[in-house]
Amino acid sequence: AGEGYEQGAMLDNSGGNTDLNSMLDSMISRCEEGGSGPAKFMCGSCGKIMARRKDLRRHVETHLDMTHPCGICSKVMKTRSSLAAHYSIYHKNEVSSPWSMI
């Protein structure tokens, strides 16, 4: 992994997020509220329910004991999406993509 972006053993040798994404998916279950309407997704850690899997995936990451430091100013984020938002707000002219620093 590159400097400033640490995921510990979660990263494979290529720097991909395959293991982390698999872990996040394993923490999400599909549920039906009341048996009617569209399926919902539930966090296996706290029971929070969301309509969109991608939103719950972002939420589930907050339950992991991981940090994602900014490679420019060293501010530490709890999720990858928070780090991406940080780069686009505070460092948009310094890097084209936060993931290019990996």
Side-chain angles (χ1 to χ4, degrees):
E3 198 173 305
Y5 188 78
E6 299 172 14
Q7 287 187 324
M10 305 277 177
L11 285 175
D12 61 24
N13 292 333
S14 67
N17 294 311
T18 306
D19 292 340
L20 175 58
N21 290 333
S22 295
M23 178 181 288
L24 294 174
D25 285 338
S26 73
M27 297 171 70
I28 297 172
S29 61
R30 192 177 175 124
C31 66
E32 309 260 345
E33 282 188 334
S36 63
K40 307 278 186 198
F41 300 94
M42 183 173 66
C43 174
S45 293
C46 70
K48 183 172 188 143
I49 295 174
M50 294 185 172
R52 295 186 302 186
R53 183 180 197 89
K54 70 177 188 171
D55 293 337
L56 190 59
R57 221 169 177 226
R58 190 174 326 147
H59 161 79
V60 167
E61 193 173 347
T62 65
H63 294 297
L64 301 178
D65 188 23
M66 296 175 64
T67 58
H68 307 280
C70 173
I72 297 172
C73 70
S74 301
K75 183 171 172 82
V76 178
M77 311 298 162
K78 184 75 175 148
T79 66
R80 295 173 294 171
S81 61
S82 295
L83 179 61
H86 170 79
Y87 275 112
S88 68
I89 294 167
Y90 298 103
H91 306 298
K92 62 184 167 192
N93 297 323
E94 298 169 67
V95 293
S96 59
S97 166
W99 316 127
S100 65
M101 298 182 67
I102 296 175

